[in-house]
Amino acid sequence: MDTPDEASTNRVERNRRMLESWRAGASITEIAREHGLSLSWTGRLLRQEGAVLPEIRQGVRRELDVPRIVREYESGSTIQSIADAHQASYGTIRRLLLREKVAIRPHGGQNALDRRKPDDTPRH
């Protein structure tokens, strides 16, 4: 494990490399992926280093293959596995499925459905 001084030095060096990548034309998404950081944190660090970035917007617009995502979910894939495969967040995939009027399975998937007996009705 790094000492506090080493960790600080590593962060300074990482931030310097991020700024160089930005100035060389890399996108925030590419830089974030390369360094294993979120898009928002990457943008914040770049701004702290003096980079002039586009104004902060809500989210990052990306092209997702909506019909494929719907097919994957309807074929039994989990929201998280789809999010991982498409490099998107769980929330993005879930909102996309809801927008497409896809019925979201209960937490626990098929196991949760199998455990319920037909006469099980919630009692209040």
Side-chain angles (χ1 to χ4, degrees), residues 40 43-44 47 53-59:
S40 60
R44 181 176 178 175
R47 282 184 184 86
L53 305 178
E55 70 178 66
I56 297 174
R57 299 182 316 268
Q58 179 132 15

Side-chain angles (χ1 to χ4, degrees), residues 53-122:
L53 305 178
E55 70 178 66
I56 297 174
R57 299 182 316 268
Q58 179 132 15
V60 173
R61 199 165 296 281
R62 58 179 66 177
E63 297 298 319
L64 293 172
D65 186 348
V66 176
R68 179 177 170 194
I69 289 170
V70 170
R71 281 193 310 273
E72 289 173 2
Y73 186 75
E74 289 177 339
S75 296
S77 294
T78 65
I79 293 175
Q80 188 62 60
S81 68
I82 295 169
D84 292 343
H86 292 269
Q87 297 179 334
S89 72
Y90 177 96
T92 296
I93 298 301
R94 187 172 187 284
R95 281 188 300 276
L96 180 149
L97 292 170
L98 290 170
R99 187 178 67 231
E100 295 298 313
K101 309 275 192 272
V102 174
I104 302 296
R105 297 185 297 267
H107 290 286
Q110 190 62 42
N111 292 336
L113 295 174
D114 291 343
R115 283 194 297 264
R116 289 186 76 198
K117 297 177 189 156
D119 61 337
D120 279 352
T121 54

Side-chain angles (χ1 to χ4, degrees), residues 27-68:
S27 70
I28 294 176
T29 302
E30 292 166 335
I31 296 167
R33 193 171 296 140
E34 178 183 340
H35 294 280
L37 301 171
S38 71
L39 291 171
S40 60
W41 188 246
T42 301
R44 181 176 178 175
L45 292 174
L46 286 169
R47 282 184 184 86
Q48 286 176 355
E49 293 297 314
V52 177
L53 305 178
E55 70 178 66
I56 297 174
R57 299 182 316 268
Q58 179 132 15
V60 173
R61 199 165 296 281
R62 58 179 66 177
E63 297 298 319
L64 293 172
D65 186 348
V66 176
R68 179 177 170 194

